[in-house]
Amino acid sequence: MTEPHVSVMVVDDHPMWRDGVSRDLAERGFEIRATSGDAVSALRIARTVRPDVVLMDLNLGDTSGVDASRQITQEIPGTRVLVLSASGEHSDVLEAVKAGASGYLVKSASVDELVDAVRRTAAGDAVFTAGLAGLVLGEYRRMAVSPGAESQAPQLTDRETEVLRQVAKGLTARQIANKLVISHRTVENHVQSTLRKLQLHNRVELARYAIEHGLDADGETGAEPG
């Protein structure tokens, strides 16, 4: 079965691995729009081809995949970064997420796991290898109780706040739609509206915002009706 049309750019400094991943994804119906072996060319090429997803290695020889991820997510808002790395070190995961990556997958993942992760990343989900999502949310909780957490919150509607609450719990857009008995498209519309209001880039940042404002636990929203 082929995947819905999703364009991908693969960034890895090992040609055999880069070509193998590109081939695996192309065979599953993804459009491989470009490949790159270093951070500098990755940014230049991504600006031109603007893929839906950049599959990014962190160790790119003399250059850093973290820096490339940060620049791509800042300069090309429509492109999401999914890290595919041999490292499962917590510090690497957190650095990648802080740089704007939407998810993090280790290279020991199966082809089916990779395909699912790319598809979900393109759809706007935050995707992590098992065990790493809890690490990221745990770090955000730690940061939320540190000095300097935001105190002034833009006004969200009740429905936007409820969708945001479910995002913080780690639910996918489809799971949120089923839980709230609304359409998948309506969920996506609320997510995009909330991203714009909060000036955030992806669901990982949304989850962080929700935790910082106590929205990862059930309770009264305090939001305006809508």
Side-chain angles (χ1 to χ4, degrees), residues 66-145:
V66 170
D67 291 339
S69 298
R70 181 179 295 107
Q71 290 179 286
I72 288 172
T73 55
Q74 288 177 350
E75 295 187 23
I76 317 172
T79 295
R80 297 183 173 94
V81 173
L82 172 64
V83 171
L84 180 62
S85 174
S87 170
E89 292 294 324
H90 291 180
S91 59
D92 289 336
V93 178
L94 294 175
E95 282 301 310
V97 172
K98 290 174 184 176
S102 295
Y104 195 107
L105 204 65
V106 295
K107 286 186 174 180
S108 58
S110 68
V111 174
D112 286 342
E113 289 172 326
L114 174 62
V115 167
D116 181 64
V118 173
R119 175 181 56 78
R120 289 177 56 198
T121 298
D125 290 339
V127 184
F128 294 90
T129 292
L132 296 183
L135 164 72
V136 174
L137 293 180
E139 174 68 4
Y140 284 162
R141 286 189 177 93
R142 185 192 66 76
M143 294 173 64
V145 299

Side-chain angles (χ1 to χ4, degrees), residues 41-206:
S41 65
L43 177 60
R44 184 182 69 251
I45 295 169
R47 287 192 190 112
T48 300
V49 303
R50 295 182 175 270
D52 297 316
V53 178
V54 173
L55 200 57
M56 178 73 70
D57 189 17
L58 291 185
N59 186 1
L60 298 174
D62 294 333
T63 55
S64 168
V66 170
D67 291 339
S69 298
R70 181 179 295 107
Q71 290 179 286
I72 288 172
T73 55
Q74 288 177 350
E75 295 187 23
I76 317 172
T79 295
R80 297 183 173 94
V81 173
L82 172 64
V83 171
L84 180 62
S85 174
S87 170
E89 292 294 324
H90 291 180
S91 59
D92 289 336
V93 178
L94 294 175
E95 282 301 310
V97 172
K98 290 174 184 176
S102 295
Y104 195 107
L105 204 65
V106 295
K107 286 186 174 180
S108 58
S110 68
V111 174
D112 286 342
E113 289 172 326
L114 174 62
V115 167
D116 181 64
V118 173
R119 175 181 56 78
R120 289 177 56 198
T121 298
D125 290 339
V127 184
F128 294 90
T129 292
L132 296 183
L135 164 72
V136 174
L137 293 180
E139 174 68 4
Y140 284 162
R141 286 189 177 93
R142 185 192 66 76
M143 294 173 64
V145 299
S146 299
E150 288 183 64
S151 58
Q152 197 68 28
Q155 289 296 310
L156 303 178
T157 67
D158 284 343
R159 182 60 86 183
E160 287 170 343
T161 303
E162 185 54 37
V163 169
L164 179 56
R165 189 187 304 280
Q166 304 309 318
V167 170
K169 293 177 180 178
L171 273 64
T172 66
R174 199 163 299 282
Q175 289 171 328
I176 295 172
N178 291 338
K179 183 178 178 66
L180 300 183
V181 197
I182 56 179
S183 72
H184 180 272
R185 182 176 295 276
T186 298
V187 171
E188 288 296 338
N189 288 340
H190 283 310
V191 168
Q192 293 305 314
S193 173
T194 303
L195 285 170
R196 286 193 298 272
K197 286 184 178 182
L198 301 182
Q199 298 183 355
L200 301 176
H201 299 97
N202 55 49
R203 277 175 168 77
V204 178
E205 293 181 4
L206 275 182

Side-chain angles (χ1 to χ4, degrees), residues 14-28:
H14 290 89
M16 289 183 63
W17 179 270
R18 185 171 66 237
D19 294 345
V21 168
S22 299
R23 182 177 60 252
D24 287 340
L25 292 177
E27 289 175 351
R28 298 297 188 97

